Amino acid sequence: MAITYRARAILLVLLSAAAFCGCRDSGKIKKVQLRAAPGSAEAGAGVQEEKPLRICVASILSPESSFMTYGELARYLGKRLDFPVKVIFKKNYAAANDSLKNSESDVAFLCTGGYLAARETSSPEILAVPVVGGKMVYNSVIVARKGGPERGLADLKGKVFAFSDVFFLTGRMYVQGRLADLKQTSGFFGGTVFTGSHDNSIKAVAENLADAACVNSLVYQVLLGRGDQYAEKLKVLETSPSFGNPPVVVREGLPPEIKIKLRAVFLGMNKDEEGRRVLKAISVDRFSEPAPGLYSSAEKLYAKAAGADLRK
């Protein structure tokens, strides 16, 4: 039976926070009236206020980190677009997808699995994809404690395994797909834990709350680069094939004028002095339009993992 592990979130700003952005366009951008969210109230009788651009974030970081990261994002985008920007926090990617579908948000930072899930109920459009280390792809890595006897996935039978979120491609679906190939779709693990984030999964394994986990390779490498005490206690048992990096998406029906301006901001970030500074701070080279077929491998894995249930 799956249980929820609540650990303190490590203050980590990674790809999902990679939306600080800038561009060289010094001209004023035409303001466009956004459609109000369902059930939203108008502020002031007889006065039509400009609706803000709403950015949806799944709140899987600590509240302090999320507020600092995305509060700055809202201020920066508001300045660049000359348009009000508001951040909407959601508890997970399922809630973030619902927010897009119901037009409660206009832009969202989704994991790759969350993006594929969102396509089943709506038509989100990719605005930009982060490029890290010169690549637009990343991997899932299965990790366990150093010094332990485990050498591969087969050695984890009967052990406690940590997943991050239901929609995480690298934090859940990769292992589901692997075990589906082995005809081990249920009962393989002795127990499973859902931690809420990749860094929490790493901490769970390091502190003996789980025997192994599958996590985002970019998160793991950044933590190692920062000398994180938990990541340094782990070893990699297996690395997945490559998948397209988590995208920044916009909701179906967002006015074309807004999409054009937003895309220009993201794609021009590395050409702007402030943008380059922020890119360096978050370990992202630049943002790019998706390459053809970027998500084909993820789509195949998503379909394979859809019917698998690894919980005992």
Side-chain angles (χ1 to χ4, degrees):
M1 181 176 182
I3 59 175
T4 301
Y5 166 67
R6 297 186 176 275
R8 287 183 196 144
I10 305 170
L11 296 181
L12 178 66
V13 179
L14 295 168
L15 289 180
S16 63
F20 293 92
C21 47
C23 66
R24 288 189 180 273
D25 186 3
S26 59
K28 293 294 183 181
I29 295 175
K30 178 182 177 183
K31 296 181 180 179
V32 178
Q33 182 71 31
L34 294 180
R35 183 176 60 185
S40 63
E42 296 293 338
V47 178
Q48 187 175 24
E49 283 199 346
E50 201 168 39
K51 297 297 186 296
L53 182 76
R54 299 154 300 178
I55 300 175
C56 182
V57 176
S59 298
I60 59 173
L61 298 174
S62 68
E64 295 85 359
S65 179
S66 294
F67 177 80
M68 291 172 60
T69 300
Y70 296 104
E72 180 63 24
L73 165 64
R75 287 188 292 272
Y76 189 84
L77 284 181
K79 178 178 67 175
R80 288 288 174 179
L81 299 173
D82 190 24
F83 196 88
V85 177
K86 177 182 179 181
V87 179
I88 300 172
F89 291 101
K90 296 296 181 181
K91 63 182 180 180
N92 54 40
Y93 284 112
N97 287 354
D98 286 341
S99 179
L100 278 177
K101 177 183 176 182
N102 299 329
S103 297
E104 294 171 355
S105 61
D106 305 299
V107 183
F109 297 90
L110 301 180
C111 65
T112 302
Y115 163 64
L116 296 178
R119 295 196 318 188
E120 295 184 344
T121 57
S122 62
S123 299
E125 180 180 341
I126 295 178
L127 190 72
V129 178
V131 177
V132 182
K135 299 179 180 180
M136 224 180 297
V137 296
Y138 70 133
N139 310 86
S140 174
V141 290
I142 299 177
V143 294
R145 286 182 296 279
K146 288 180 178 177
E150 300 87 1
R151 294 293 179 268
L153 181 62
D155 299 324
L156 299 178
K157 186 173 179 61
K159 301 293 183 68
V160 176
F161 198 88
F163 296 115
S164 47
D165 185 274
V166 172
F167 284 147
F168 278 11
L169 195 82
T170 56
R172 174 175 173 262
M173 296 181 190
Y174 171 64
V175 167
Q176 284 187 301
R178 283 280 285 116
L179 292 184
D181 286 340
L182 299 175
K183 310 299 182 184
Q184 298 281 352
T185 56
S186 64
F188 182 82
F189 296 121
T192 58
V193 174
F194 280 87
T195 68
S197 68
H198 295 292
D199 48 330
N200 277 348
S201 290
I202 288 170
K203 185 175 181 180
V205 177
E207 294 197 328
N208 297 308
L209 295 172
D211 298 300
C214 53
V215 299
N216 182 316
S217 62
L218 297 173
V219 174
Y220 181 60
Q221 289 301 322
V222 169
L223 285 173
L224 284 177
R226 295 181 179 182
D228 179 76
Q229 61 174 319
Y230 303 113
E232 289 184 339
K233 293 180 179 180
L234 308 184
K235 62 183 178 183
V236 175
L237 302 182
E238 181 174 309
T239 301
S240 77
S242 296
F243 308 113
N245 280 342
V248 182
V249 306
V250 295
R251 66 170 171 83
E252 182 179 2
L254 187 70
E257 301 94 329
I258 292 291
K259 288 190 290 187
I260 291 171
K261 301 306 180 183
L262 278 171
R263 184 172 283 112
V265 169
F266 280 99
L267 301 186
M269 185 176 174
N270 62 312
K271 301 182 179 74
D272 175 81
E273 183 177 353
E274 185 177 359
R276 288 193 298 270
R277 175 181 60 78
V278 176
L279 284 171
K280 182 177 180 180
I282 59 177
S283 303
V284 172
D285 303 343
R286 60 187 173 87
F287 283 97
S288 174
E289 295 189 74
L294 180 62
Y295 295 101
S296 59
S297 61
E299 289 166 350
K300 293 177 183 177
L301 175 60
Y302 183 85
K304 183 188 299 183
D309 184 359
L310 306 184
R311 295 171 296 178
K312 188 172 182 178

